[in-house]
Amino acid sequence: MNLILFTVVATIGYATAQSEQYTDRYDSLRIDDVLANKRLTAAYIKCMLEKGKCTAEGRELKSHITEALQNGCSKCTQKQLAGVKKVIKHLINKENAYWVELTDMYDPKKEYRHKYERELKSL
């Protein structure tokens, strides 16, 4: 009986933990290819800034961006976390105007901006 109860509790805990992560549906998106293509990067940025159309991936990202900034991407998969770090580093170091626009929109009080800049500028 204890084994059955443990199994049920473990299964519920696992299911809850899984639902606490963002979807991994777009984890196959090739971040390096997007960042290497200025036009594609600009399209994603315009989506985030509500200045252009969004792809399905863009809409998904936009729906979680504020929460992810606030909680350090704690609901991200490992692949998403690595991708987020890569994108933020790229924006800070190579597309800083976009970084400023995005943080002005999603972090107007600059609560998280400086934290990520310190963490990722040196990488």
Side-chain angles (χ1 to χ4, degrees), residues 40-59 62:
L40 193 52
T41 300
Y44 275 100
I45 299 296
K46 287 178 182 177
C47 164
M48 298 303 112
L49 294 172
E50 298 178 356
K51 294 180 177 181
K53 294 181 181 180
C54 291
T55 62
E57 298 95 341
R59 281 189 299 277
K62 190 164 73 168

Side-chain angles (χ1 to χ4, degrees), residues 35 38 41-42 45 49 51 86-105 110 113-114 116-118 120-122:
L35 295 176
K38 289 207 179 268
T41 300
I45 299 296
L49 294 172
K51 294 180 177 181
K86 183 178 285 193
V87 169
I88 292 174
K89 179 183 174 190
H90 175 85
L91 293 174
I92 290 170
N93 294 322
K94 297 183 180 177
E95 308 275 356
N96 197 261
Y98 284 149
W99 171 247
V100 170
E101 277 188 89
L102 287 165
T103 55
D104 285 349
M105 181 171 186
K110 297 176 181 36
R113 176 181 182 170
H114 299 296
Y116 292 111
E117 286 176 350
R118 279 192 308 274
L120 299 172
K121 210 171 201 173
S122 61

Side-chain angles (χ1 to χ4, degrees), residues 18-68:
Q18 292 302 310
S19 67
E20 290 294 319
Q21 283 195 314
Y22 302 131
T23 182
D24 63 355
R25 186 176 331 143
Y26 303 110
D27 280 11
S28 62
L29 181 69
R30 295 171 56 150
I31 303 272
D32 290 324
D33 291 347
V34 173
L35 295 176
N37 183 325
K38 289 207 179 268
R39 198 169 70 197
L40 193 52
T41 300
Y44 275 100
I45 299 296
K46 287 178 182 177
C47 164
M48 298 303 112
L49 294 172
E50 298 178 356
K51 294 180 177 181
K53 294 181 181 180
C54 291
T55 62
E57 298 95 341
R59 281 189 299 277
E60 182 73 26
L61 173 61
K62 190 164 73 168
S63 73
H64 301 298
I65 197 166
T66 301
E67 179 185 46

